[in-house]
Every structure is written in structure tokens, then in C-alpha cells.
Amino acid sequence: AAHWKYKIGKGENNEEESELDKWLKTIKELLENPEPNAIDFLDTFKLNLFASEIFVFTPKGEIKILPVGSTALDFAFSVHSDLGMKCLGAKINGKLVPISYVLQNGDQIDILSSQNQKPKQDWLDIVITSKAKSRIKAALNSEKNNQVSEGKEIFQRKLRHAKINFTEEEVNNIQRYFNLKTSQDLFLKFYDGTYDTTDLKKYVDSKSTLKTFFQKFRKST
């Protein structure tokens, strides 16, 4: 109730606040008169004033407020970005759950982490909070840039082995040969091992075949 009143501002006496007072009065009456039907009512009664938020706890009892639908991974990022980046799973009320577990009101969450863990692309489908999404995207972009850089070095070494000069024109030709949209895509293919020196030799052979074809065509015309 205090949290809700803080959100709507001090001194406001609107219809929503009046409804809150009525709700609190009803609960007070039910607690003061614990008849069987009232007890049954309390057993099934659910607080819905905060339909857009849930309240969960850290292992030390600190309260965290998150949007409804938040997962254990969202919680990890809400505690600290580094914890989110290394999140492996969680213990919810002492029970092991995956990072995709959807949090419930009152859950106590202990995040499990590993230094070897890294953000993955499918994490973006797991989280719903803007903080978690932005941190994951930044990490993925940084990782991709590193892979592109390493892939470019591998590509250059493969070119030397295939006796191909590393020029912008040659890179563009090879990119088109493999039907790739950008040179980054090309470098990534060499980074993950999709292409190697054998594929470059096929490219060289195709150029030679094409060159021979045009030579014959010119002679015939």
C-alpha cells in the first residue's frame, strides 16, 4: 500500500486511492472476524493492485520490483550486469530452475553463475526488461566484432595459402561467389570454419573456367 501511494504522489485523494482504502477496510474486517467463509476467502484471495509488477527477494531478503513476466535472467541483470552476463540458472525458494523460469510474487532467488558463461542470442527471447535486453545486445555485438576481426585474420592467411592477393576488389568478388551480403559475413564464415582454403581454391578454379570461356567466346566472334 505504501509503495502504491508513493507512486501516485502524496496528498492525492482520487478515486483510485478511495478504492485502496475500501480494499484495506475489507481485509481488516475479514481478519477481525475469522468466520469459516472469511478464512476460505482469504485462502483464495490474490492481491491484484500491482498487476503490472511482482515483488521478489534476494537471498539476503532485499526486495526487487520487476515487471510481470520477468524471468530469473531478468532478475540477475537487475542485481548486477556482470551477474546477468554469467548467469547459468537459479535457485527459486531452494529449488533449481533454468534462467527462463518466470518469476512469481514472493519468490526468493539465488542466482547461479560461472566465469565461463557468456550471453547467447536466444537470451533476447528470454528477458523482457529493457536493462537486460540492452546489456545482452551490447555483449553480443562486442563478441561479434571480435569474431569478425579474428575471422578477417584467418581469411587473410587462407588467401596467402591459396596465392590470392588481399584487395578490396578480390574480397568483393569472393563475397559474391559465396553469395554473402557483406564482407563481415564472409569473415565470420572463415572464423567458424564454414569455409577454408579448399573453398578458396574452388573460387580460383571458377575464375579460371570463366576466363577460358570468355577467351573462347571472343575467338569465335
Side-chain angles (χ1 to χ4, degrees), residues 75-142:
F75 175 84
F77 276 100
S78 75
V79 174
H80 199 285
S81 293
D82 286 344
L83 184 62
M85 298 291 188
K86 297 176 175 59
C87 181
L88 279 177
K91 280 187 178 180
I92 306 295
N93 307 319
K95 182 180 178 181
L96 286 172
V97 298
I99 61 175
S100 58
Y101 171 86
V102 178
L103 303 175
Q104 305 297 317
N105 257 321
D107 280 345
Q108 185 180 61
I109 308 148
D110 187 8
I111 296 297
L112 306 177
S113 62
S114 169
Q115 293 297 322
N116 297 323
Q117 179 69 300
K118 292 182 179 180
K120 300 176 177 61
Q121 185 67 38
D122 62 358
W123 283 18
L124 292 173
D125 298 324
I126 294 175
V127 297
I128 67 167
T129 56
S130 58
K131 178 181 180 180
K133 283 185 179 293
S134 62
R135 296 294 190 276
I136 293 169
K137 286 180 180 178
L140 291 175
N141 287 336
S142 177

Side-chain angles (χ1 to χ4, degrees), residues 38-94:
I39 293 175
D40 291 340
F41 176 72
L42 284 175
D43 285 339
T44 58
F45 192 87
K46 292 185 178 180
L47 177 64
N48 59 12
L49 288 174
F50 305 105
S52 62
E53 296 176 334
I54 57 170
F55 297 80
V56 293
F57 300 88
T58 68
K60 294 183 179 180
E62 179 186 354
I63 295 177
K64 291 286 183 180
I65 303 172
L66 294 168
V68 167
S70 294
T71 61
L73 188 55
D74 281 301
F75 175 84
F77 276 100
S78 75
V79 174
H80 199 285
S81 293
D82 286 344
L83 184 62
M85 298 291 188
K86 297 176 175 59
C87 181
L88 279 177
K91 280 187 178 180
I92 306 295
N93 307 319

Side-chain angles (χ1 to χ4, degrees), residues 2-211:
H3 170 71
W4 184 84
K5 286 194 173 187
Y6 174 79
K7 287 178 69 176
I8 66 171
K10 295 181 179 180
E12 294 186 19
N13 187 19
N14 54 27
E15 184 178 345
E16 287 184 306
E17 188 172 10
S18 176
E19 289 301 316
L20 176 61
D21 291 336
K22 289 178 183 178
W23 181 84
L24 290 172
K25 182 179 180 181
T26 300
I27 296 300
K28 181 180 178 182
E29 290 174 352
L30 287 170
L31 292 173
E32 289 176 346
N33 298 284
E35 298 175 0
N37 62 335
I39 293 175
D40 291 340
F41 176 72
L42 284 175
D43 285 339
T44 58
F45 192 87
K46 292 185 178 180
L47 177 64
N48 59 12
L49 288 174
F50 305 105
S52 62
E53 296 176 334
I54 57 170
F55 297 80
V56 293
F57 300 88
T58 68
K60 294 183 179 180
E62 179 186 354
I63 295 177
K64 291 286 183 180
I65 303 172
L66 294 168
V68 167
S70 294
T71 61
L73 188 55
D74 281 301
F75 175 84
F77 276 100
S78 75
V79 174
H80 199 285
S81 293
D82 286 344
L83 184 62
M85 298 291 188
K86 297 176 175 59
C87 181
L88 279 177
K91 280 187 178 180
I92 306 295
N93 307 319
K95 182 180 178 181
L96 286 172
V97 298
I99 61 175
S100 58
Y101 171 86
V102 178
L103 303 175
Q104 305 297 317
N105 257 321
D107 280 345
Q108 185 180 61
I109 308 148
D110 187 8
I111 296 297
L112 306 177
S113 62
S114 169
Q115 293 297 322
N116 297 323
Q117 179 69 300
K118 292 182 179 180
K120 300 176 177 61
Q121 185 67 38
D122 62 358
W123 283 18
L124 292 173
D125 298 324
I126 294 175
V127 297
I128 67 167
T129 56
S130 58
K131 178 181 180 180
K133 283 185 179 293
S134 62
R135 296 294 190 276
I136 293 169
K137 286 180 180 178
L140 291 175
N141 287 336
S142 177
E143 180 69 15
K144 182 180 179 180
N145 290 337
N146 291 336
Q147 291 176 357
V148 168
S149 179
E150 289 184 39
K152 184 177 180 180
E153 293 179 4
I154 295 171
F155 175 68
Q156 289 174 313
R157 290 200 300 270
K158 300 293 185 182
L159 287 182
R160 288 195 293 270
H161 292 159
K163 297 181 180 179
I164 303 172
N165 293 325
F166 180 76
T167 64
E168 183 177 353
E169 180 182 3
E170 201 71 80
V171 171
N172 291 336
N173 288 337
I174 296 172
Q175 175 191 317
R176 285 193 293 269
Y177 173 77
F178 290 119
N179 196 27
L180 299 172
K181 292 182 179 180
T182 67
S183 59
Q184 282 193 341
D185 293 334
L186 178 63
F187 300 151
L188 286 172
K189 291 295 184 181
F190 279 88
Y191 171 82
D192 64 19
T194 301
Y195 299 139
D196 57 19
T197 307
T198 303
D199 297 288
L200 289 176
K201 288 181 178 178
K202 291 178 181 179
Y203 160 73
V204 173
D205 292 340
S206 71
K207 285 181 63 178
S208 178
T209 302
L210 191 62
K211 182 179 179 180

